[in-house]
Amino acid sequence: MDRRQFLNSSLIAAGGAILSGRRFAAEASALPQQVPGGIPSSEISTARFPSGFLWGMATACYQVEGAWNLDGKGESIWDRFSHTVGKIKGGATGDVACDQYHLTRKTSRF
């Protein structure tokens, strides 16, 4: 295929995509605004938690502790995974994390 043939076939493909996109937009506007099984916006905006509701929270030690190889801590599957070259974009690890291990005052040793 030479450049001219490539350009012609590309233009034909682009034109088809534009035409099908217009048709799709027209079909999309005909769709119902409420998702079946979804909660209407009016109910969401007036929703409240019941009286006495208690919030909770959780963290994972990998996300907050840091000190991945200190004080006898064994290697976790996340330590192994993140230390494997090519598994994490940029090579980031949880080795320091939020460094809770060093930033929390130690009151006792177990």
Side-chain angles (χ1 to χ4, degrees):
M1 177 182 288
D2 65 16
R3 291 181 198 177
R4 183 170 289 161
Q5 290 170 327
F6 176 77
L7 182 60
N8 284 336
S9 62
S10 297
L11 290 173
I12 291 169
I18 290 169
L19 290 174
S20 67
R22 286 184 184 154
R23 184 184 46 164
F24 178 74
E27 291 170 1
S29 66
L31 294 175
Q33 297 301 313
Q34 179 63 35
V35 176
I39 300 172
S41 297
S42 59
E43 287 185 39
I44 292 173
S45 64
T46 59
R48 300 291 177 261
F49 288 97
S51 176
F53 181 86
L54 296 176
W55 285 95
M57 62 175 266
T59 61
C61 63
Y62 184 78
Q63 295 171 326
V64 295
E65 279 184 357
W68 76 277
N69 61 350
L70 297 178
D71 223 8
K73 179 188 173 293
E75 181 183 53
S76 74
I77 59 171
W78 286 110
D79 293 325
R80 172 70 58 96
F81 183 81
S82 66
H83 291 144
T84 303
V85 176
K87 294 290 186 180
I88 307 291
K89 185 176 182 177
T93 68
D95 292 0
V96 176
C98 296
D99 205 19
Q100 191 178 55
Y101 181 87
H102 291 105
L103 297 174
T104 303
R105 187 173 58 134
K106 307 285 189 288
T107 56
S108 65
R109 289 297 223 199
F110 296 105

